[in-house]
Amino acid sequence: MSEYLQHAKSVVADYHRRLDETLASVPDQRSAAGDDIAAALASSITGDHLWRGMHPFYEQHGAHAVADVFWGPLRAAMAPLQRRVDVLLAGDNDADGGATTWVCSMGHFLGLFDSPWLDIPPTRRALPLRYVEFSRVDGDRIGESALFLDLIAVMRHAGHYPLPPTTGQPGVYLGPRTADGVLAEPQDPDESAATLELAWRMAGDLDEANRVAREQGSDRMPRDVLARCWHEDMLWIGPDGIGSSYTIDRYQQQHSYPFRFGLADKEFHGHVARIAEGCYAAWFGWANVTNRPRGGYLGLPSSGPAEMRVVDVYRREGDKLADNWVFIDLLHWLSQQGLRPLERMRRLVGIEEF
């Protein structure tokens, strides 16, 4: 199986190479049309490829749709684009009993934000666009993918941050402390299994705490529950809008308690992909969880149930987790509550039609 995981990573690396060559070019007219991008995608993906993107992109099918809706407009706004990868891992999907194989790539795209994107005004400065991408590899092609970005960070860079101040620190997007996240060589399967078991056990602790909270009417999670699976100097790297937290105590104060106190009726819905390789693990859902804002979380009022599409990427160090990179499709979550930050921004910058 390690040979197939290496093959899966080579398929994704080839896809990156072909796509990135087109993204690094600057279109003559900076047009949103991307026939060359569609051709690059078509050379790497299956004919019935399913692409999942964050709000406002959502699900697309086939190379031309993905190029027209996402990659073409992005390149038109930020060319030339380069990809900087911090983490790359592959694994058989624990969420479907190993029936599929997925590759996770995480890092940044770097571009010159010279033209509007989603009507976000350009800064004419270098923009690091944080991303994580999951790719399901079928033979020599990619049959399904999901791409998460930190769009609220782009709005913040452009001076249109749409939310009240964060509880964590925005802008802290560090790669692995050990600088070993790109797993080019085969990894010990026992190490991979240990990483996935630890991450899944940590998630189980959270589920148990949610159950106890419902029964006892308290959202307090004892510190020692977190310390079972996390290093004392853990780094939780959250999306803009929430921010990042360093150490168990600050994570508890700046993310765990606001999340637990501010959101009720949490219900887990499973993952599309859940993989591990070596000391790294990653998973995502569509959607992972639903919850009900009680009022106060992210400075927002109470609301009805809303779903969260979440990515977690973990690094294990020894017998505990040290790093956790988190992406949440917050714009989608907000849209279910009748809140549309992109539309509000368009009104503020004087764009009448949206």
Side-chain angles (χ1 to χ4, degrees):
M1 294 305 297
S2 63
E3 291 182 1
Y4 188 72
L5 295 185
Q6 290 299 103
H7 172 73
K9 286 184 284 188
S10 72
V11 169
V12 171
D14 190 50
Y15 152 69
H16 284 175
R17 178 185 59 78
R18 295 176 183 179
L19 176 61
D20 293 355
E21 285 176 356
T22 66
L23 298 178
S25 65
V26 180
D28 291 340
Q29 304 298 323
R30 285 194 167 255
S31 168
D35 289 342
D36 55 342
I37 295 177
L41 292 172
S43 68
S44 298
I45 65 177
T46 60
D48 59 351
H49 178 268
L50 168 63
W51 183 88
R52 293 180 172 96
M54 298 176 70
H55 177 95
F57 309 110
Y58 292 100
E59 296 182 7
Q60 305 295 328
H61 295 268
H64 282 282
V66 178
D68 290 345
V69 169
F70 179 73
W71 290 114
L74 177 64
R75 181 180 63 169
M78 299 187 191
L81 280 164
Q82 62 175 236
R83 184 192 305 261
R84 294 177 170 240
V85 181
D86 292 320
V87 173
L88 180 72
L89 69 149
D92 294 322
N93 187 5
D94 183 66
D96 62 12
T100 56
T101 298
W102 290 73
V103 176
C104 174
S105 168
M106 186 189 77
H108 291 80
F109 291 103
L110 180 68
L112 294 174
F113 192 8
D114 284 351
S115 296
W117 184 50
L118 300 173
D119 296 319
I120 302 172
T123 63
R124 293 193 54 79
R125 295 178 179 175
L127 177 77
L129 179 58
R130 186 175 173 233
Y131 85 92
V132 64
E133 185 176 39
F134 287 78
S135 302
R136 175 171 58 82
V137 176
D138 295 339
D140 295 328
R141 288 182 175 263
I142 296 169
E144 182 179 355
S145 58
L147 180 66
F148 287 71
L149 307 165
D150 200 336
L151 293 183
I152 290 180
V154 179
M155 298 179 73
R156 179 170 61 84
H157 276 278
H160 287 278
Y161 181 73
L163 294 168
T166 61
T167 51
Q169 177 60 45
V172 177
Y173 307 131
L174 302 176
R177 182 181 182 183
T178 46
D180 61 355
V182 178
L183 304 182
E185 301 300 323
Q187 303 295 306
D188 183 346
D190 291 339
E191 293 293 310
S192 305
T195 303
L196 187 60
E197 188 277 332
L198 176 61
W200 199 229
R201 175 155 44 91
M202 180 276 302
D205 287 344
L206 297 180
D207 287 342
E208 176 65 14
N210 288 337
R211 183 187 64 78
V212 172
R214 288 193 297 268
E215 292 176 354
Q216 300 181 355
S218 171
D219 285 312
R220 293 280 177 183
M221 176 184 284
R223 187 185 188 282
D224 63 331
V225 173
L226 292 172
R228 293 174 192 168
C229 296
W230 293 101
H231 279 284
E232 288 291 328
D233 62 349
M234 64 171 288
L235 178 58
W236 190 88
I237 303 163
D240 222 310
I242 298 174
S244 299
S245 300
Y246 174 49
T247 75
I248 286 180
D249 289 330
R250 297 300 170 88
Y251 166 79
Q252 194 169 34
Q253 296 166 16
Q254 297 170 355
H255 174 64
S256 180
Y257 281 159
F259 189 85
R260 297 183 69 77
F261 295 159
L263 301 174
D265 302 333
K266 301 179 186 70
E267 185 176 350
F268 178 62
H269 300 293
H271 294 126
V272 174
R274 185 169 61 242
I275 62 173
E277 187 178 20
C279 290
Y280 289 84
W283 57 51
F284 85 96
W286 198 260
N288 315 40
V289 66
T290 52
N291 49 55
R292 178 178 57 80
R294 288 173 169 156
Y297 185 64
L298 302 189
L300 300 172
S302 61
S303 178
E307 64 180 29
M308 275 188 170
R309 296 167 175 173
V310 185
V311 169
D312 283 281
V313 179
Y314 300 97
R315 180 178 70 87
R316 175 176 62 86
E317 191 170 294
D319 61 355
K320 293 190 177 182
L321 299 170
D323 293 326
N324 183 194
W325 296 267
V326 178
F327 293 73
I328 302 176
D329 191 348
L330 285 176
L331 292 179
H332 172 62
W333 182 74
L334 292 170
S335 72
Q336 295 170 81
Q337 302 168 60
L339 302 171
R340 295 176 175 80
L342 287 172
E343 295 184 4
R344 182 177 63 186
M345 178 209 66
R346 289 169 182 140
R347 288 194 292 269
L348 290 173
V349 299
I351 298 175
E352 296 296 332
E353 296 182 3
F354 47 83

